[in-house]
Amino acid sequence: MSTSTAARRAAPLAEILLQATQVVVTVMAGRTPDAALGRVALPLRPATMEAVYTALRAYGRADFFLARLMDRPLKDAEVRALLLLALNRLERAPDDAYRVVDQAVTAAQSLANGRFKGVVNGVLRNFMRQRIELVQAAQADSVATWQHPLWWIERVQRDHPDRWQDILAAGNTHPPLVLRVNRRRLASADFLTQLDAVGIAARRLDDAAVLIEKAVAVDAIPGFRAGLCSVQDWGAQSVPQRLELQDGLRVLDACAAPGGKTAHLLETNDLELTALDVDAARTLRIRQNLDRLGLHATIKTADACAVASWWDGRPFDRILADVPCSASGVARRHPDAKWLRRETDVADLAQRQTAILEALWPTLAPGGKMLYVTCSVFEQENSAQVHDFLVRHKDARRADASLPTALLPNAEHDGFFFVLLQKA
């Protein structure tokens, strides 16, 4: 039995809803859910996380229903969050409706001195009675249908006129769990044998990537703590190949935390690698990841744009510029980003990306190559960014291999954009 299944069976749904309510309130206040989830007691955390992330992916839909089930907006943030969570469960599991209502009302007793028990009961029972009409009404509303903010929907429609529906639909699904086998330690075929021995169903995607058919806790994965594998999206695992590495190169991973790509580069080739990140706490995670895998790099905490504070003047043969972005290609992994992000943030992020590229380019050796990477599906951060860079730098050219530049999110990988730039 997985940890998540055990938690769901051991804890009453009301307790899970209460814990999830506090996390959703945190997100509605403009913060990411990570810290709030970290405060949830460990036995409850997997089930709480599942409830929160499922509700956030479908926030636009539950919000649509709630607006039509209440005469006026509900001001109490906790009760509102509880109702969003419960409405999400009611639509997904109609056969469990009476338990969901009962447990939501029980949870409401612990909020606002129980003053909203009747409201919670009434709203949820009205949803059960009006379900068909509400679902039909939602089909005419873009946000309720596609479960993304309207500006996001319109941008994806404009940037990907032939694939926009697939991209938005993928953003509402549960993300795949893909492992990267540490090929310095074992082959993927041997790792699949180890997974099968403990009853974990999986299939091989390539020489290093293994897709887990049903998500499990990392502690249940054989050899994870011993450094035999890492969790990394299949799309992200193409970086070493795209960067055209070979042993002995001097390499910079410029926005490295938490270190997944850093480790993969070192697993693939013997490199003189510097890993850089602006956040000290995240830089520590690079060290922890490398220690688990038995790998070494020079790790520095610094702003990539403040070159004088971290560069020793020796040019790099390769640079990985996995820049900060909107994360629109990985929205299903970070569903809070859909609702916390604003359209103006995309332009701000594009400016930051430009600054990083301009700062890093002088540190690249003549003939060296820099891989520009985002986990975005927005063209302003992708093709438009690269076009403008090539206009400004006549000593730069694209040096892409046969691999596709854009990966759009699907059942096996998230959304990414890659361009390899070479200095004349």
Side-chain angles (χ1 to χ4, degrees), residues 38-338:
R39 292 192 291 270
V40 176
L42 193 56
L44 285 174
R45 195 175 301 164
T48 301
M49 181 180 296
E50 181 179 338
V52 168
Y53 276 57
T54 302
L56 289 176
R57 289 188 191 104
Y59 172 86
R61 192 168 181 84
D63 184 60
F64 175 89
F65 293 146
L66 188 57
R68 281 151 184 78
L69 288 165
M70 302 203 67
D71 295 331
R72 56 182 181 273
L74 186 61
K75 294 183 179 180
D76 189 287
E78 291 182 329
V79 177
R80 175 178 166 76
L82 173 62
L83 281 168
L84 291 171
L85 287 157
L87 286 168
N88 176 263
R89 281 182 172 262
L90 281 177
E91 187 178 22
R92 288 188 300 109
D95 293 341
D96 198 27
Y98 289 101
R99 184 177 76 99
V100 171
V101 173
D102 174 72
Q103 292 294 287
V105 172
T106 299
Q109 292 177 351
S110 301
L111 303 176
N113 295 320
R115 289 185 290 111
F116 291 94
K117 282 195 310 178
V119 172
V120 169
N121 184 63
V123 167
L124 297 182
R125 292 190 180 278
N126 280 337
F127 175 80
M128 292 166 60
R129 286 190 289 266
Q130 302 173 36
R131 176 191 175 90
I132 295 176
E133 294 85 350
L134 286 168
V135 170
Q136 289 175 343
Q139 293 173 351
D141 184 274
S142 293
V143 175
T145 298
W146 296 108
Q147 301 170 40
H148 288 69
L150 184 59
W151 69 265
W152 191 307
I153 296 170
E154 292 173 344
R155 185 178 281 262
V156 174
Q157 288 174 329
R158 182 175 67 248
D159 290 349
H160 302 276
D162 297 326
R163 297 290 305 277
W164 68 271
Q165 292 174 313
D166 294 337
I167 294 170
L168 293 174
N172 298 325
T173 61
H174 197 283
L177 174 58
V178 178
L179 304 178
R180 183 189 75 241
V181 180
N182 184 351
R183 287 182 293 171
R184 287 186 179 266
R185 305 280 295 278
L186 80 169
S188 58
D190 295 332
F191 184 64
L192 283 169
T193 300
Q194 293 187 20
L195 291 175
D196 184 63
V198 296
I200 297 177
R203 60 185 173 90
R204 179 176 175 272
L205 297 176
D206 63 22
D207 289 343
V210 172
L211 176 68
I212 304 299
E213 300 288 359
K214 187 176 182 180
V216 297
V218 293
D219 286 331
I221 299 171
F224 179 84
R225 295 298 176 193
L228 298 187
C229 65
S230 300
V231 176
Q232 186 180 39
D233 184 81
W234 191 25
Q237 290 189 39
S238 68
V239 163
Q241 181 182 0
R242 293 175 183 274
L243 201 46
E244 300 181 2
L245 295 175
Q246 60 191 41
D247 290 348
L249 294 182
R250 178 171 161 82
V251 178
L252 172 68
D253 187 352
C255 306
K261 296 183 183 69
T262 304
H264 195 193
L265 298 179
L266 293 168
E267 289 173 4
T268 306
N269 292 90
D270 294 321
L271 307 169
E272 181 187 348
L273 191 146
T274 299
L276 192 70
D277 200 87
V278 69
D279 187 298
R282 286 169 55 81
T283 302
L284 178 61
R285 291 188 62 193
I286 302 174
R287 170 62 61 201
Q288 293 169 340
N289 278 321
L290 294 187
D291 287 346
R292 180 179 65 84
L293 295 163
L295 302 169
H296 174 75
T298 299
I299 301 174
K300 297 183 178 182
T301 302
D303 185 342
C305 292
V307 174
S309 69
W310 57 264
W311 187 40
D312 62 6
R314 295 171 55 210
F316 294 99
D317 303 303
R318 299 288 188 272
I319 295 177
L320 173 58
D322 185 8
V323 295
C325 70
S326 63
S328 52
V330 295
R332 58 189 174 187
R333 294 190 189 277
H334 307 284
D336 53 295
K338 292 195 296 187

